[in-house]
Amino acid sequence: HHRTFSYSSFTIIKHSMYQKLSDQGGRPLNNRNDSNIELEANTATAIRTSSKPDNNNEHKIPLYAQTSSSQTNESSLSSFTLTGDHITPLQTVQIAIQTGYKKALSTSFKKSKPLKVFLSAMLSGSYLGFAISVTMQAQAYGWDKVSAALLFPFGFLLLILSGNSLATGNFALLPMALLNRYIGSGSESSKKVGGDMTCSALLINWFIVYFGNFAGTLLCLFILWGGMTHFGQRDEDGYSAFKNALCGVVYGKVITYRTTGGGAGWFAALFNGMLANWLVTLAVILSISSKSTIGKVISVYLPISIFVALGFEHAIVNLFVLPGGLLYKCDSYVNSYGDEHTFDYGFGDWWAWNQIPVTLGNIIGGATLTGLMYYAIYSHKL
């Protein structure tokens, strides 16, 4: 177990705790077989109920170790509970709100330098480019779709663990912060966001991060294409398997919707976008619920694997794959049954039948199915 204070400080606090417990009619801890966790919890209680220390030497108890004031009474030894790695759902939502607020301020031209956020977003787009590339390479080697999907979450892990910005995550976090400004209770346990959390701040952030992600995917794509194809001068046999996998993905993400046509095809792309970002923003929320690296890895890995295996649509991933179809000149692919499909594919097809509806679907899914839902569940405490 971790020791927060030095040995001498801990001894003083411990004796103070004994005195406090004796005043309350409790038995000294050295006559009990308490575990280390109980000792730490009771020590925290003694600190809280003892006289206020000098301001320069005040010891602060972390948020995750506190309970609400309504659950606290002077004679209770359970005012504080150590939760280890886990953060409670309410505290997770509170952190998500404050994170959304900070992200909005990070792209405010008056209070910060948005270029830093743009560069951070570029890295996120590039990391997703690496992830989808290795996933398609696995399919080129003969992996099935579900097995290859198990490789993809590493791209999300790279950007989350490195603290970079992803537009689709912000589609949930910033609306939660905006809701908190207008309808939050502003309780002591959950400070309301400031008045500078506005709709315009939200839209500016989304715009900067989205196109930062786009710039990152294009950068990764161009370098990958140049190295793999020798800037188009290499014999295609050297990368035909990868190109076939890429063109198959393009066919599924654009041509199938276009073939269906009309509102049915367009809204199918939008709904698949909603489903994808429902899971992606869930991964973002779950990553907040853990303080350890391994906890974040597990939290992110599960929902991301599901969305890729089920073939849902993620706007930032598509900003790598679909321009890749143009760069690699996709016009046909051979499926796993040996059937060849030929098709025409252009810039207009990419945006009309995928990028626009999928981006709107990601916004709706993230803002409502994750952001609004979790805010509604805990709104009475926010």
Side-chain angles (χ1 to χ4, degrees):
H1 298 282
H2 299 290
R3 291 177 173 82
T4 308
F5 312 108
S6 66
Y7 179 79
S8 59
S9 299
F10 182 81
T11 302
I12 294 171
I13 293 169
K14 184 170 67 174
H15 285 299
S16 174
M17 180 188 67
Y18 290 159
Q19 182 63 43
K20 187 66 180 178
L21 291 176
S22 298
D23 293 343
Q24 295 176 356
R27 290 178 295 168
L29 281 176
N30 57 357
N31 292 332
R32 298 172 58 193
N33 295 322
D34 292 309
S35 66
N36 288 339
I37 290 180
E38 291 172 327
L39 178 61
E40 292 175 14
N42 291 328
T43 301
T45 305
I47 295 169
R48 186 178 187 277
T49 56
S50 62
S51 60
K52 186 175 180 180
D54 183 82
N55 290 335
N56 295 327
N57 297 311
E58 183 177 359
H59 298 293
K60 295 182 179 180
I61 305 301
L63 175 63
Y64 67 85
Q66 301 181 20
T67 59
S68 64
S69 58
S70 63
Q71 297 173 318
T72 304
N73 60 72
E74 293 183 358
S75 63
S76 173
L77 297 182
S78 59
S79 298
F80 289 79
T81 56
L82 298 185
T83 56
D85 176 63
H86 179 63
I87 298 175
T88 67
L90 172 60
Q91 291 164 350
T92 298
V93 173
Q94 291 171 341
I95 295 171
I97 290 170
Q98 292 301 319
T99 301
Y101 179 45
K102 291 177 182 177
K103 286 181 177 290
L105 294 183
S106 71
T107 49
S108 169
F109 290 93
K110 295 181 179 179
K111 298 186 177 182
S112 61
K113 297 179 179 180
L115 177 60
K116 295 180 179 180
V117 179
F118 185 87
L119 294 176
S120 172
M122 281 187 64
L123 290 177
S124 292
S126 297
Y127 296 160
L128 291 188
F130 288 128
I132 194 64
S133 296
V134 74
T135 302
M136 290 188 295
Q137 189 66 56
Q139 289 182 291
Y141 287 150
W143 289 33
D144 62 84
K145 183 177 180 179
V146 174
S147 298
L150 299 177
L151 299 173
F152 184 78
F154 289 104
F156 277 87
L157 289 171
L158 289 174
L159 69 92
I160 286 179
L161 294 179
S162 58
N164 292 321
S165 299
L166 185 68
T168 48
N170 292 1
F171 291 163
L173 296 177
L174 272 71
M176 293 174 75
L178 190 64
L179 284 170
N180 186 252
R181 178 201 168 181
Y182 290 107
I183 63 176
S185 63
S187 63
E188 293 182 2
S189 62
S190 181
K191 183 180 178 181
K192 286 183 67 174
V193 304
D196 42 5
M197 181 66 240
T198 62
C199 288
S200 61
L202 176 146
L203 293 174
I204 289 171
N205 178 272
W206 285 0
F207 181 86
I208 291 174
V209 176
Y210 187 92
F211 283 97
N213 292 157
F214 191 9
T217 60
L218 292 181
L219 175 64
C220 182
L221 175 62
F222 179 74
I223 296 174
L224 175 72
W225 172 81
M228 182 181 293
T229 71
H230 302 178
F231 298 95
Q233 301 303 308
R234 183 185 180 187
D235 190 299
E236 193 172 303
D237 291 341
Y239 58 91
S240 59
F242 179 87
K243 178 180 177 180
N244 185 70
L246 171 63
C247 294
V249 173
V250 170
Y251 183 90
K253 288 181 173 295
V254 176
I255 308 306
T256 54
Y257 299 128
R258 188 183 70 184
T259 301
T260 300
W266 198 88
F267 277 98
L270 185 143
F271 275 35
N272 282 330
M274 291 174 61
L275 291 168
N277 214 33
W278 191 354
L279 289 167
V280 169
T281 51
L282 174 61
V284 172
I285 296 295
L286 291 177
S287 71
I288 296 174
S289 71
S290 175
K291 300 187 292 293
S292 70
T293 298
I294 188 62
K296 292 180 183 295
V297 168
I298 296 173
S299 299
V300 171
Y301 196 89
L302 297 176
I304 299 301
S305 298
I306 294 171
F307 113 70
V308 177
L310 292 176
F312 298 147
E313 301 283 358
H314 188 266
I316 310 305
V317 171
N318 293 351
L319 288 173
F320 178 87
V321 173
L322 300 182
L326 298 175
L327 196 57
Y328 280 82
K329 301 178 181 178
C330 286
D331 56 9
S332 67
Y333 93 101
V334 179
N335 63 22
S336 57
Y337 300 103
D339 301 325
E340 183 175 7
H341 297 266
T342 59
F343 56 90
D344 295 323
Y345 172 62
F347 183 87
D349 297 315
W350 160 24
W351 284 90
W353 292 106
N354 186 287
Q355 202 64 52
I356 292 175
V358 167
T359 299
L360 293 175
N362 285 173
I363 292 173
I364 295 170
T368 62
L369 299 177
T370 296
L372 180 59
M373 287 288 192
Y374 278 103
Y375 196 91
I377 293 170
Y378 295 101
S379 60
H380 63 292
K381 297 181 179 180
L382 300 173

